[in-house]
Amino acid sequence: MKKWEGFTKGVNLGGWISQFAEYDEAHFRSFITEEDFKEIKRLGFDHVRIPVDYNVLENEDGEENPIGYEMLRNAQKWCHTHDLRMIVDVHEVYGYSFDPLKDMDREKFFYDEALQARFYALWSKIAKAFGDDPDTVALELLNEVVLIGVADAWNKVVEKVIDVIRKEAPRSWIVVGGVCYNSITTIKLLDPPKDDRIVYNFHCYEPIIFTHQGAYWVKGMPADFRIAYPESLETYREQSMKYARDLVGALFEEGVTKIGPEYFETLLEPAVKAAEDFGVPLYCGEYGVIELAPMDSTLRWFHEIHEVFDKFGIGRAIWNYRGKDFGLVDEYYEPIREEILK
């Protein structure tokens, strides 16, 4: 399978200019600084994935907001200084969010031409700003399309927005994910790539019942729910029955027979085949374990998923560098951080 050179081991900068507690320029200027990029390089990473919400890049009327571009320009400069690469990940756009805590119609965007026009205009500006640096800056279209029912409509949006981007950024890598929260099982639903600078992207928090145990944002999840890794497939399936299938459906995929490295391999094989058939790299833009999980189980999970990523030559970016209940440099991870980094 084609490898994505330079994007092998990365880390997400969630909580900086996306999913922040409140819109605050002081936060944008202090939460992540050049010192963090220096530390990220020291820890052994080769790239950062930078989630960014539309409201940092533009106001509600669609007019450009300078602060967002300033932060991304700073990141670009720090990447050059510290020999890193970066992915600009549009995490939320006007009219659409994956965030389960936001009450909204998650289907409308994929059939609304006005909302899509706003999306294309935003990407034209981003591509114009960073399209002259294709070796450092990659462009990720949209974080986590939730509903499986919009897969065909999403493919049409992807086709159009790539055309928009290519006018300004002819050689930038473009990162495209599937539906069901970027599930590995939906890579096969993506249309063939439009050119040779496309990357297929998935997220892997499998099984969700383990990696998101006690998560307040998962509807129906008890705050005190705890479970180890690995447990039996039957146990995980039984515990997952009450959650949305769009979220936990991978556990019920045909061919899944046990939990462990075999589980990840079974889920990955169709995606690897699709990537091989189309000659595109396969990349995991997010994976990780909530800090509420048992520490020994967390370490086993990382060992097993890294083993499988390495087997298939899949680049990845751990969620998350700091905060957001998954922070690698936060206190919880200190006893096992070095083992994870290995």
Side-chain angles (χ1 to χ4, degrees):
M1 185 176 65
K2 185 177 180 180
K3 290 187 178 182
W4 194 16
E5 300 296 340
F7 293 84
T8 301
K9 297 178 181 179
V11 63
N12 277 271
L13 301 183
W16 179 25
I17 48 179
S18 172
Q19 295 178 279
F20 36 80
E22 61 178 315
Y23 188 100
D24 178 8
E25 291 195 11
H27 165 82
F28 301 152
R29 298 183 187 282
S30 62
F31 186 74
I32 296 292
T33 68
E34 183 175 0
E35 284 302 307
D36 293 298
F37 278 66
K38 182 179 179 181
E39 175 67 2
I40 287 166
K41 181 65 178 181
R42 187 193 71 80
L43 292 173
F45 294 106
D46 62 11
H47 74 280
V48 292
R49 178 176 180 259
I50 307 177
V52 56
D53 291 345
Y54 78 94
N55 63 342
V56 183
L57 298 170
E58 62 184 20
N59 63 24
E60 291 302 304
D61 295 324
E63 298 168 342
E64 185 173 311
N65 184 352
I67 186 67
Y69 289 92
E70 179 185 346
M71 295 300 99
L72 290 176
R73 283 292 190 197
N74 285 345
Q76 181 186 24
K77 178 177 65 176
W78 299 333
C79 281
H80 282 292
T81 300
H82 300 287
D83 190 26
L84 293 165
R85 291 175 172 84
M86 62 185 269
I87 301 170
V88 177
D89 155 48
V90 172
H91 222 61
E92 185 175 290
V93 295
Y94 185 81
Y96 176 77
S97 172
F98 72 97
D99 189 340
L101 298 179
K102 295 185 177 181
D103 185 16
M104 68 183 311
D105 182 346
R106 290 187 171 80
E107 185 178 44
K108 182 179 180 181
F109 170 83
F110 301 95
Y111 302 98
D112 188 308
E113 291 184 359
L115 291 178
Q116 291 168 20
R118 175 90 174 249
F119 179 62
Y120 303 147
L122 175 62
W123 263 116
S124 180
K125 293 175 185 176
I126 297 171
K128 187 173 184 178
F130 298 100
D132 62 349
D133 193 7
D135 293 330
T136 301
V137 184
L139 310 174
E140 182 177 340
L141 301 181
L142 182 62
N143 182 70
E144 294 190 346
V145 176
V146 171
L147 303 176
I148 192 169
V150 304
D152 290 341
W154 172 230
N155 276 324
K156 293 176 182 177
V157 173
V158 168
E159 181 177 10
K160 291 179 181 178
V161 74
I162 289 176
D163 286 341
V164 169
I165 291 171
R166 285 293 179 237
K167 292 177 182 177
E168 305 291 349
R171 294 301 294 163
S172 297
W173 285 103
I174 297 178
V175 182
V176 184
V179 294
C180 293
Y181 297 92
N182 270 18
S183 171
I184 184 61
T185 64
T186 64
I187 289 289
K188 60 191 177 188
L189 301 180
L190 291 171
D191 281 349
K194 287 181 69 73
D195 58 49
D196 64 353
R197 300 282 283 187
I198 304 296
V199 177
Y200 282 175
N201 171 42
F202 67 95
H203 294 173
C204 194
Y205 294 102
E206 297 296 335
I208 290 286
I209 196 70
F210 168 70
T211 66
H212 282 59
Q213 57 187 281
Y216 63 86
W217 60 91
V218 175
K219 186 176 181 180
M221 174 67 72
D224 60 353
F225 177 76
R226 298 292 182 271
I227 196 166
Y229 181 88
E231 291 281 5
S232 70
L233 177 61
E234 292 72 22
T235 297
Y236 284 144
R237 281 178 170 172
E238 179 183 355
Q239 293 293 335
S240 300
M241 290 295 291
K242 61 184 176 181
Y243 303 105
R245 190 55 66 96
D246 288 331
L247 185 63
V248 301
L251 265 178
F252 300 89
E253 283 285 302
E254 184 178 352
V256 172
T257 59
K258 63 182 297 186
I259 296 298
E262 302 91 342
Y263 173 58
F264 297 120
E265 289 188 29
T266 299
L267 295 181
L268 275 166
E269 282 170 354
V272 169
K273 185 179 186 306
E276 288 176 340
D277 288 346
F278 294 133
V280 301
L282 190 60
Y283 172 76
C284 181
E286 292 183 19
Y287 70 108
V289 180
I290 196 168
E291 61 188 21
L292 299 173
M295 193 169 293
D296 56 344
S297 292
T298 295
L299 191 56
R300 278 196 295 273
W301 185 89
F302 274 110
H303 276 311
E304 291 187 2
I305 199 168
H306 285 150
E307 176 185 325
V308 178
F309 284 159
D310 288 342
K311 176 179 179 178
F312 290 111
I314 295 172
R316 63 271 195 173
I318 191 173
W319 184 272
N320 186 46
Y321 175 67
R322 174 182 293 129
K324 306 307 298 176
D325 306 286
F326 287 74
L328 181 65
V329 299
D330 294 344
E331 182 179 356
Y332 165 79
Y333 271 106
E334 185 173 353
I336 58 174
R337 186 181 303 124
E338 290 305 317
E339 285 299 313
I340 293 172
L341 289 169
K342 287 179 184 178

